[in-house]
Amino acid sequence: MSLTVLFSAPEAYWERYRETLPRAFAEAGLDVTLTRAAAPETVDFIVFAPKGPVSDFGPYSNCRAVLSLWAGVETIVGNATLTQPLCRMVDSGLEEGMVEWVTGHVLRHHLGIDRQILSQDGVWAPVVPPLARDRRVAILGLGALGRACAEALAALRFDVMGWSRTPRDVPGVACQHGAAGLRAVLEAAEIVVLLLPLTPETDTLINAERLDWLPDGAVLINPGRGALIDDDAVLAALDAGRLGHATLDVFRTEPLPPEHPFWAHPKVTVTPHIASETRPESAARVIAENIRRSVAGAPLLFLVDRDQGY
Ligand SMILES: NC(=O)c1ccc[n+]([C@@H]2O[C@H](COP(=O)([O-])OP(=O)(O)OC[C@H]3O[C@@H](n4cnc5c(N)ncnc54)[C@H](OP(=O)(O)O)[C@@H]3O)[C@@H](O)[C@H]2O)c1
């Protein structure tokens, strides 16, 4: 069977996928024409990233699924024209990158690396960091990325807690869920990592009240989505000395505007949404596998629950 796959993503993506996707389709035994323009009714699948040409899915009446190149689907999940199944990206390369970024930033704060870098002033003032086993780290979100980070930190012997919407079981991680679990996790966490999707339920989850639940001097690390946090509440908690540091990779407005106070704040580290990204080689295989499944009548992988928004 010959299939037409429409690639709807910003221009820069095309260079990275124009060869990797056809290679993955061939490896999966699929006969595919990958195109950036086609008559909508001829399209069998759409490979999608935000800010590409397609925003009205209505005319794609024969499209069997929209396959996102992004893990976060908040920009598309509420699109009223999208009646086709939507699959998000779960990619081993994306996961590896996130584990490296989160582990690096947790270790920075755990070991007090800044203290050494900033004080090369001839003063011999040893401060020995505690062992990881004595550092409580909370990961909010135990999905593909949060779980991988929790496991990596647990392997380094951090005292890891995790929080999710439904009960989860991660070996070596103290898991909590739901509204009641959140307070318990935040009250104990010295370092909090946000790996939640942005949904109506998680929007501004980290507000002034919940920041107050954290122990004094706790560190917030956000590689999830910018709108998970209340920017003003985070700044107020930093200024009051309640929060020790915020390392932020994602923002309500991206690029983060030059005048935003996060840039100049001495207790904020800004990284420009680089915590991790989908890696074309491994992601192309995920896309091909989902098309193979659809054609074979098998259930799609990583189907988004439209009611939950992730
Ligand atoms: N900065 C970057 O470079 C970058 C890169 C990729 C992704 N991201 C972000 O990372 C997010 C997570 O990705 P993922 O692949 O790990 O997502 P995922 O597999 O869908 O996992 C989401 C996790 O969040 C939990 N969750 C959702 N709503 C919740 C709620 N209301 N209360 C408590 N827990 C809730 C889920 O709970 P259940 O387990 O109970 O379902 C699940 O554990 C993405 O949505 C995206 O925003 C950022």
Side-chain angles (χ1 to χ4, degrees):
M1 179 194 302
S2 173
L3 301 165
T4 299
V5 174
L6 179 67
F7 189 79
S8 177
E11 182 67 28
Y13 283 61
W14 182 240
E15 280 313 308
R16 297 157 58 205
Y17 285 94
R18 63 186 299 173
E19 290 175 3
T20 42
L21 276 171
R23 204 160 44 235
F25 294 148
E27 280 168 16
L30 296 166
D31 176 9
V32 170
T33 301
L34 180 67
T35 176
R36 291 199 289 171
E41 64 282 0
T42 66
V43 170
D44 297 297
F45 296 92
I46 299 176
V47 173
F48 179 86
K51 299 186 181 151
V54 177
S55 55
D56 178 1
F57 296 89
Y60 296 89
S61 48
N62 295 312
C63 173
R64 303 189 212 179
V66 174
L67 307 169
S68 173
L69 289 171
W70 284 30
V73 290
E74 72 279 0
T75 63
I76 182 181
V77 71
N79 185 324
T81 68
L82 179 67
T83 52
Q84 301 86 345
L86 170 65
C87 298
R88 50 186 219 90
M89 178 51 66
V90 175
D91 160 37
S92 57
L94 176 68
E95 190 177 301
E96 274 177 57
M98 187 60 82
V99 167
E100 291 175 18
W101 189 90
V102 166
T103 304
H105 286 277
V106 166
L107 283 171
R108 169 192 173 192
H109 295 295
H110 165 63
L111 295 174
I113 288 173
D114 290 19
R115 207 167 29 242
Q116 266 64 54
I117 293 173
L118 300 175
S119 63
Q120 302 287 310
D121 50 8
V123 180
W124 186 267
V127 180
V128 178
L131 290 175
R133 70 174 75 238
D134 296 319
R135 182 76 71 189
R136 288 185 307 275
V137 182
I139 311 283
L140 306 194
L142 289 174
L145 300 178
R147 183 188 177 99
C149 292
E151 286 173 343
L153 293 170
L156 288 172
R157 304 200 176 180
F158 280 99
D159 183 354
V160 185
M161 300 169 290
W163 183 70
S164 51
R165 188 175 58 83
T166 59
R168 296 285 164 192
D169 185 17
V170 183
V173 176
C175 296
Q176 303 260 9
H177 68 278
L182 180 59
R183 183 163 190 154
V185 165
L186 290 182
E187 281 181 346
E190 294 168 272
I191 300 176
V192 183
V193 181
L194 307 181
L195 274 167
L196 295 159
L198 180 60
T199 70
E201 275 188 42
T202 63
D203 198 328
T204 324
L205 183 88
I206 301 302
N207 57 18
E209 181 191 3
R210 293 181 178 128
L211 285 165
D212 248 5
W213 294 347
L214 291 167
D216 275 347
V219 168
L220 179 68
I221 299 179
N222 185 16
R225 281 292 179 261
L228 296 174
I229 65 170
D230 176 338
D231 292 6
D232 291 338
V234 167
L235 287 164
L238 288 164
D239 289 338
R242 292 267 305 105
L243 200 58
H245 196 96
T247 294
L248 309 173
D249 183 59
V250 283
F251 305 91
R252 284 174 185 269
T253 304
E254 293 182 7
L256 183 65
E259 65 278 10
H260 195 290
F262 282 155
W263 280 115
H265 200 289
K267 293 182 184 171
V268 176
T269 300
V270 170
T271 63
H273 201 145
I274 45 81
S276 191
E277 73 171 3
T278 306
R279 310 290 156 152
E281 285 295 337
S282 41
R285 289 195 288 271
V286 174
I287 299 280
E289 171 60 10
N290 251 343
I291 293 177
R292 190 197 65 74
R293 282 171 165 260
S294 175
V295 170
L300 291 166
L301 298 171
F302 318 129
L303 203 55
V304 171
D305 178 335
R306 306 291 276 279
D307 294 331
Q308 292 300 335
Y310 70 97

